[in-house]
Amino acid sequence: DVKVTQSSRYLVKRTGEKVFLECVQDMDHENMFWYRQDPGLGLRLIYFSYDVKMKEKGDIPEGYSVSREKKERFSLILESASTNQTSMYLCASTRDYSNQPQHFGDGTRLSIL
Amino acid sequence: KQEVTQIPAALSVPEGENLVLNCSFTDSAIYNLQWFRQDPGKGLTSLLLIQSSQREQTSGRLNASLDKSSGRSTLYIAASQPGDSATYLCAVRGSSNTGKLIFGQGTTLQVKP
């Protein structure tokens, strides 16, 4: 069975901290994505990666960076956490050039105090 | 720019009813359309994927249709059950590579016993 695993379900951090959210997929997918989900705003794409060490900005990249050193792992980094980054963060993956669905992790509920 | 709209935002029905959820998109040049289910505080689960060349897909009590020319998709749920209560999201994939999805805001369904 396909699996996207996010390292934490719940996380509480302080303003100004550097925060790492980790995501691992076991399906050898080329594409990986980070979204945030907020009430009334829906899912918004932060960054995506279409290959190892390759990345592209999504709709709301400000305040975030990403790292993809290995195909199976995609990390989201909050350089200096702020309270407006309190949100639900969702990781997903999918295969290139295929009609396969996008697979999501269970999400990380991040609170910045 | 592709925009995806879901109507209604919320729906409450008695158990046993058949129901239809609607999704519309502004650019008909899509690669596929996906329907997801999201339970509170959880990630997204893929329900159905319709390729751009297809008109419908079925899985159990669920049937999704696609009319590219009019920019519409519907998700039909037969004989609804309380366990169907969740938020349903549709998303369109615009290109064959990268797999980027554009999401609607979702319809929150409540099925009352």
Side-chain angles (χ1 to χ4, degrees):
Chain A
D1 203 8
V2 299
K3 194 76 174 171
V4 177
T5 303
Q6 294 185 230
S7 53
S8 305
R9 287 299 315 278
Y10 302 94
L11 207 53
V12 180
K13 296 291 182 180
R14 297 207 174 272
T15 303
E17 280 193 66
K18 191 169 187 177
V19 181
F20 294 84
L21 303 183
E22 306 287 344
C23 176
V24 177
Q25 51 95 2
D26 64 358
M27 296 162 283
D28 201 37
H29 285 168
E30 295 84 4
N31 304 309
M32 296 187 74
F33 308 83
W34 276 106
Y35 299 90
R36 64 177 283 178
Q37 186 177 31
D38 301 286
L41 296 176
L43 273 96
R44 294 180 291 169
L45 181 64
I46 305 171
Y47 266 100
F48 72 99
S49 169
Y50 50 91
D51 202 348
V52 175
K53 297 189 187 295
M54 306 304 286
K55 61 186 179 185
E56 277 196 27
K57 294 179 180 179
D59 300 318
I60 51 163
E62 296 78 19
Y64 303 94
S65 63
V66 290
S67 173
R68 191 153 180 217
E69 296 297 320
K70 294 185 177 181
K71 191 174 186 180
E72 67 270 19
R73 186 179 298 271
F74 191 35
S75 303
L76 179 69
I77 304 156
L78 285 66
E79 297 291 346
S80 177
S82 64
T83 55
N84 63 12
Q85 292 178 310
T86 291
S87 187
M88 173 70 132
Y89 289 87
L90 292 163
C91 175
S93 72
T94 193
R95 190 172 297 284
D96 263 355
Y97 301 101
S98 80
N99 273 302
Q100 296 297 316
Q102 199 164 111
H103 295 277
F104 281 78
D106 285 336
T108 296
R109 174 73 66 185
L110 175 64
S111 296
I112 307 296
L113 305 179
Chain B
K1 180 184 174 185
Q2 178 75 271
E3 291 183 2
V4 180
T5 304
Q6 291 186 247
I7 295 173
L11 184 62
S12 180
V13 300
E15 182 177 3
E17 271 203 12
N18 303 324
L19 58 101
V20 174
L21 307 181
N22 296 295
C23 174
S24 62
F25 46 96
T26 54
D27 186 348
S28 62
I30 65 170
Y31 188 67
N32 63 43
L33 183 143
Q34 300 175 39
W35 282 94
F36 295 89
R37 169 185 172 137
Q38 185 177 31
D39 294 296
K42 297 289 184 70
L44 279 65
T45 300
S46 178
L47 296 174
L48 289 165
L49 182 149
I50 311 176
Q51 300 177 33
S52 61
S53 59
Q54 296 176 327
R55 295 301 299 268
E56 65 178 336
Q57 281 287 329
T58 298
S59 176
R61 294 183 294 108
L62 305 180
N63 176 277
S65 68
L66 175 64
D67 184 342
K68 267 181 49 174
S69 60
S70 67
R72 294 177 189 274
S73 176
T74 62
L75 179 66
Y76 174 83
I77 302 177
S80 59
Q81 302 170 358
D84 294 330
S85 299
T87 296
Y88 292 81
L89 297 116
C90 76
V92 297
R93 177 170 171 172
S95 67
S96 59
N97 65 341
T98 77
K100 280 179 64 177
L101 295 178
I102 308 297
F103 283 87
Q105 293 273 353
T107 295
T108 299
L109 172 66
Q110 183 184 32
V111 181
K112 297 179 178 178

